[in-house]
Amino acid sequence: ELKVEQNPLFLSMQEGKNYTIYCNYSTTSDRLYWYRQDPGKSLESLFVLLSNGAVKQEGRLMASLDTKARLSTLHITAAVHDLSATYFCADSNFGNEKLTFGTGTRLTIIP
Amino acid sequence: DAGVIQSPRHEVTEMGQEVTLRCKPISGHNSLFWYRQTMMRGLELLIYFNNNVPIDDSGMPEDRFSAKMPNASFSTLKIQPSEPRDSAVYFCASSGQMNQPQHFGDGTRLSIL
């Protein structure tokens, strides 16, 4: 059974702090996606990680991929309130177009 | 550029009625995906098409659900008859190439009374 597990499921953090969201997946795929969803809104693509060791950064967010460990991380640096949202990782099933999404991590940034 | 367009945005109907959700993918994208999002089950892929052909419908919950893609710019997801447990947000997404992200529409919030 294909599984994508995220932790933590809920995260409250203070502004200015750093934290990491973890995404473990069960397939041998080398493609991993990160999305953001604001309450009541659609999903917005953040990163596409296409190979082992891939690292991408956008603003205060940095994502990385370790295909050998089947682990991706989303690191938040010096959090600001605007980053409050639910973050999903998604694994491509054995390299095809079908994605399996994780449960999501609801991030709340506290002033 | 226009994104993925879904209609209606909200639908409230009574149990037993037929419901049709519509999706227009981004022009030039050849893959289209239908998802359902609920608090209990999260985000689930229902079906996806490539070049208008259904590739994987293993996520369609039961025979009450059907999806079509008659051409490259339009797809429908139909529920007949609808039941309260079908209440969810239904998203349509499209993508152009395998290594590119899927682009999601704004979703249809469906409530079955």
Side-chain angles (χ1 to χ4, degrees), chain A residues 16-27:
Chain A
K17 299 291 187 182
N18 304 332
Y19 209 81
T20 301
I21 299 170
Y22 298 89
C23 174
N24 289 91
Y25 59 96
S26 62
T27 73

Side-chain angles (χ1 to χ4, degrees), chain A residues 78-93:
Chain A
V80 294
H81 179 70
D82 286 353
L83 292 179
S84 296
T86 299
Y87 293 85
F88 292 93
C89 63
D91 172 39
S92 69
N93 300 174

Side-chain angles (χ1 to χ4, degrees), chain B residues 61-78:
Chain B
E62 48 198 275
D63 292 345
R64 297 184 297 107
F65 286 68
S66 62
K68 294 182 180 180
M69 191 165 187
N71 58 62
S73 59
F74 184 66
S75 177
T76 59
L77 178 68
K78 187 174 293 186

Side-chain angles (χ1 to χ4, degrees), chain B residues 40-81:
Chain B
M40 290 298 296
R41 299 179 66 88
L43 195 62
E44 305 172 279
L45 177 67
L46 301 177
I47 185 171
Y48 84 92
F49 296 83
N50 184 265
N51 292 324
N52 312 339
V53 175
I55 303 299
D56 188 332
D57 64 355
S58 59
M60 296 285 263
E62 48 198 275
D63 292 345
R64 297 184 297 107
F65 286 68
S66 62
K68 294 182 180 180
M69 191 165 187
N71 58 62
S73 59
F74 184 66
S75 177
T76 59
L77 178 68
K78 187 174 293 186
I79 308 172
Q80 167 63 21

